[in-house]
């Protein structure tokens, strides 16, 4: 299908009306076509048009590309924002992935609510993405590839060129005598996407000329199936959800589902909580090892900065926990302002009217040989026994702020007071939801 600015406008008119359009402008052929096409229809756009360029600092000609983008936008009278990145990938980390994540994070920081980011991904990019996901063994969410539009940050991310091939965009660019910058890294065949682009996809197009359209159709089918699975996941959450505890799942509700729906629900839950969804092997281990663990056990399974545990008939999902605070930590506190706790454990506050606290207390994390009598008429409890009585999971016990006055334990976080103190704990432990 031939490209034209009018057809671009037709696509944009099917999308929500933003407060502002932002064009991701790299200076390459694809984004140059998008920018010029938008410039030609600017009087008919329902919102102002801006461009944004990211200098990744990875190419020798990065400053030359930046200057090209400045000159192009000045000529088109389109306001341009230039951002500079300082990428330092860790050992084993993909530079391409880090650059992509950093680029989107930088752009998001500049956008306002209800803004729309427009990228120049086209039909050939869609084919590459679909094949990459297929060869990685992705599920239907991965095979859905890139949608025309999706919610992003507090606005939208749209790809209005997905219906067009690279050849169609190149034809229009040449017809309009446009100038652009070529990225030499696109020729490196050790990058898998480039290998598909230069070695595999041309052969596929020879045999299947309609490759872009048929791949797009398959991606749409996968997207519909993925949406259906999300709907099923939403409905199934009602069986396992404990109101106010989104990081916990009741195993009794999970067990009534078929194996396929159990797997789907775990993926849905993990994705909904903003953690990386693990591969099928980890999902199977959650079901076989964590769910089926002995009641007295406290199994742990970790993956990609996330982990899942079991305690008393529940699964507990959380980001990877840092090490517990050292037993040597001792924080003196007079309650006049919130006390920041170490290792991301939040902070301690105190309710009003606690004048005695001005004398100061000490907050520690050492529980060895600790005893507490949690109320009148109750006997001393060992720390382990007290935690069991209060249903405090094992991984939280080493992270509990223990409050001492004159070297005497008076409170276990905000769970209970210890004799001689009585009544409701005056302390409030504000902490991440996954530590509730």
């Amino acid at each position: 299908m031939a490209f034209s600015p009018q057809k671009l406008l037709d696509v944009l008119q099917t999308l929500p009306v933003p407060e502002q359009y932002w064009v991701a402008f790299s200076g390459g052929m694809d984004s140059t076509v998008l920018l010029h096409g938008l410039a030609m229809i600017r009087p008919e756009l329902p919102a102002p048009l801006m461009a944004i360029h990211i200098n990744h600092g990875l190419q020798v000609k990065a400053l030359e590309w930046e200057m090209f983008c400045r000159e192009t936008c000045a000529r088109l009278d389109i306001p341009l924002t230039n951002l500079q990145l300082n990428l330092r990938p860790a050992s084993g980390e993909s530079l391409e992935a880090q650059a992509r994540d950093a680029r989107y994070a930088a752009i998001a920081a500049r956008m306002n609510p209800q803004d729309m980011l427009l990228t120049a991904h086209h039909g050939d990019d869609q084919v590459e993405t679909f094949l990459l996901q297929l060869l990685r063994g992705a599920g239907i969410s991965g095979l859905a590839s890139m949608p025309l539009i999706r919610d992003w940050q507090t606005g939208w991310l749209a790809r209005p060129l997905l219906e067009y091939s690279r050849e169609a965009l190149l034809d229009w660019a040449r017809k309009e005598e446009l100038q652009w910058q070529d990225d030499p890294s696109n020729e490196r065949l050790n990058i898998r996407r480039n290998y598909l682009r230069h070695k595999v996809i041309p052969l596929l197009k020879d045999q299947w000329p309609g490759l872009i359209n048929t791949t797009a159709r398959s991606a749409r089918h996968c997207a519909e199936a993925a949406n259906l699975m999300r709907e099923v996941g939403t409905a199934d959450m009602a069986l396992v959800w404990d109101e106010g505890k989104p990081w916990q799942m009741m195993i009794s509700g999970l067990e009534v589902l078929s194996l396929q729906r159990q797997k789907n629900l775990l993926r849905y839950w993990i994705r909904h909580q903003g953690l990386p969804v693990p591969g099928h092997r980890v999902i199977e281990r959650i079901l076989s090892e964590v769910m089926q663990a002995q009641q007295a056990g406290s199994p742990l399974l970790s993956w990609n900065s996330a982990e899942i545990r079991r305690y008393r008939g529940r699964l507990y999902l959380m980001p990877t926990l840092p090490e517990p605070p050292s037993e040597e930590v001792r924080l003196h506190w007079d309650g006049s302002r919130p006390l920041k706790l170490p290792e991301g454990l939040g902070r301690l506050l105190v309710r009003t009217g606690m004048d005695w606290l001005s004398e100061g207390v000490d907050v520690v994390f050492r529980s060895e040989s600790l005893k507490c009598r949690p109320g009148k008429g109750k006997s001393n409890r060992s720390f382990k026994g007290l935690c069991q009585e209060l249903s405090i999971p094992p991984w939280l016990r080493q992270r509990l702020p223990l409050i001492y006055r004159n070297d005497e334990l008076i409170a276990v976080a905000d769970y209970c007071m210890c004799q001689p103190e009585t009544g409701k704990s005056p302390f409030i432990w504000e902490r991440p939801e996954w530590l509730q």
Side-chain angles (χ1 to χ4, degrees):
M1 181 171 65
F3 171 80
S4 72
Q6 182 57 49
K7 290 178 182 177
L8 174 61
L9 179 62
D10 292 342
V11 173
L12 292 176
Q13 288 176 339
T14 68
L15 306 180
V17 175
E19 291 293 321
Q20 190 165 243
Y21 291 108
W22 291 82
V23 183
F25 184 40
S26 68
M29 186 273 291
D30 311 334
S31 61
T32 297
V33 167
L34 177 60
L35 187 72
H36 280 79
L38 289 166
M40 292 181 181
I41 59 174
R42 180 164 36 176
E44 300 175 76
L45 293 177
L49 179 63
M50 305 279 290
I52 188 164
H53 174 76
I54 306 297
N55 184 340
H56 299 85
L58 299 176
Q59 301 289 344
V60 174
K61 295 186 176 181
L63 290 177
E64 184 179 319
W65 296 349
E66 180 180 320
M67 185 57 62
F68 169 82
C69 292
R70 289 180 184 274
E71 293 171 353
T72 300
C73 288
R75 190 166 57 252
L76 295 173
D77 194 26
I78 295 175
L80 174 69
T81 297
N82 272 293
L83 299 177
Q84 176 76 44
L85 300 183
N86 183 21
L87 300 178
R88 294 180 180 176
S91 177
E93 183 179 6
S94 165
L95 181 58
E96 182 184 7
Q98 192 202 37
R100 180 186 61 247
D101 294 344
R103 176 169 65 249
Y104 279 113
I107 293 173
R110 288 302 181 103
M111 292 177 60
N112 296 315
Q114 302 301 302
D115 283 358
M116 182 181 291
L117 175 65
L118 301 176
T119 69
H121 293 104
H122 47 68
D124 286 84
D125 293 323
Q126 185 78 303
V127 173
E128 293 165 10
T129 300
F130 184 88
L131 291 176
L132 282 170
Q133 294 289 0
L134 179 67
L135 294 171
R136 290 168 181 160
I140 58 172
S141 294
L143 292 174
S145 303
M146 298 182 292
L148 169 62
I149 187 170
R150 67 179 176 89
D151 293 339
W152 187 65
Q153 303 299 324
T154 56
W156 301 274
L157 189 159
R159 303 177 178 92
L161 302 183
L162 282 181
E163 293 185 3
Y164 301 99
S165 67
R166 181 180 286 109
E167 289 83 0
L169 300 181
L170 182 58
D171 287 345
W172 190 80
R174 287 171 173 166
K175 174 186 173 185
E176 297 295 322
E177 299 182 342
L178 303 183
Q179 294 181 325
W180 60 86
Q181 300 293 306
D182 289 318
D183 184 351
S185 69
N186 288 335
E187 304 301 318
R188 290 166 50 194
L189 297 184
N190 61 326
I191 298 175
R192 290 176 176 175
R193 181 178 288 273
N194 290 345
Y195 186 86
L196 286 173
R197 179 180 304 164
H198 296 293
K199 295 293 186 179
V200 177
I201 293 177
L203 296 177
L204 294 176
K205 284 184 174 180
D206 285 343
Q207 292 296 319
W208 293 277
L211 180 66
I212 289 179
N213 291 334
T214 55
T215 301
R217 184 165 63 246
S218 292
R220 287 194 297 270
H221 292 329
C222 290
E224 291 175 0
N227 287 335
L228 179 58
M229 289 178 68
R230 280 191 288 272
E231 291 180 9
V232 172
T234 300
D236 287 345
M237 279 300 296
L239 301 173
V240 299
W241 191 263
D242 189 354
E243 188 69 31
K245 297 180 179 179
W247 295 87
Q248 299 178 27
M249 177 179 285
M250 293 182 289
I251 293 175
S252 59
L254 190 60
E255 288 176 332
V256 304
L257 301 174
S258 67
L259 179 61
Q260 290 75 21
R261 287 173 69 174
Q262 288 179 8
K263 293 178 179 180
N264 181 59
L265 182 53
L266 286 172
R267 292 189 181 97
Y268 174 88
W269 179 41
I270 294 167
R271 183 182 293 110
H272 187 268
Q273 296 308 114
L275 294 180
V277 179
H280 71 280
R281 288 189 179 89
V282 173
I283 293 292
E284 289 173 355
R285 289 184 63 194
I286 292 173
L287 295 172
S288 62
E289 297 176 22
V290 181
M291 268 185 58
Q292 304 302 324
Q294 295 293 324
Q295 191 69 23
S298 182
L300 162 66
L301 188 59
S302 301
W303 72 93
N304 295 346
S305 72
E307 55 192 38
I308 197 164
R309 304 168 186 258
R310 171 181 172 148
Y311 180 66
R312 291 193 174 178
R314 292 172 183 251
L315 295 178
Y316 289 76
L317 178 67
M318 62 198 74
T320 301
L321 294 182
E323 290 296 315
S326 167
E327 292 188 352
E328 304 303 318
V329 172
R330 193 175 190 89
L331 307 173
H332 191 72
W333 182 44
D334 64 4
S336 61
R337 62 184 62 187
L339 176 67
K340 183 179 179 181
L341 302 175
E343 305 298 344
L345 293 177
R347 60 181 192 164
L348 273 182
L349 299 88
V350 66
R351 305 180 206 283
T352 57
M354 298 293 115
D355 296 336
W356 55 267
L357 192 58
S358 61
E359 301 174 8
V361 294
D362 291 316
V363 179
V364 304
F365 299 87
R366 183 177 61 254
S367 59
E368 186 177 354
S369 303
L370 182 149
K371 299 282 187 180
C372 172
R373 186 150 57 97
K376 289 184 178 180
K378 294 188 177 181
S379 60
N380 271 346
R381 305 285 200 278
S382 67
F383 182 70
K384 180 178 180 179
L386 180 66
C387 288
Q388 290 176 336
E389 183 178 321
L390 296 173
S391 297
I392 300 174
W395 59 89
L396 191 55
R397 297 171 192 176
Q398 293 175 291
R399 297 171 170 85
L400 287 174
L402 307 174
I403 302 160
Y404 282 78
R405 185 175 63 184
N406 300 326
D407 292 326
E408 186 174 36
L409 179 65
I410 61 169
V412 176
D414 53 3
Y415 284 93
C416 70
M417 300 293 284
C418 299
Q419 291 285 333
E421 298 298 333
T422 59
K424 183 178 181 181
S425 173
F427 302 105
I428 302 170
W429 182 17
E430 290 186 349
R431 56 197 188 271
E433 280 188 314
W434 53 84
L435 288 179
Q436 300 292 337

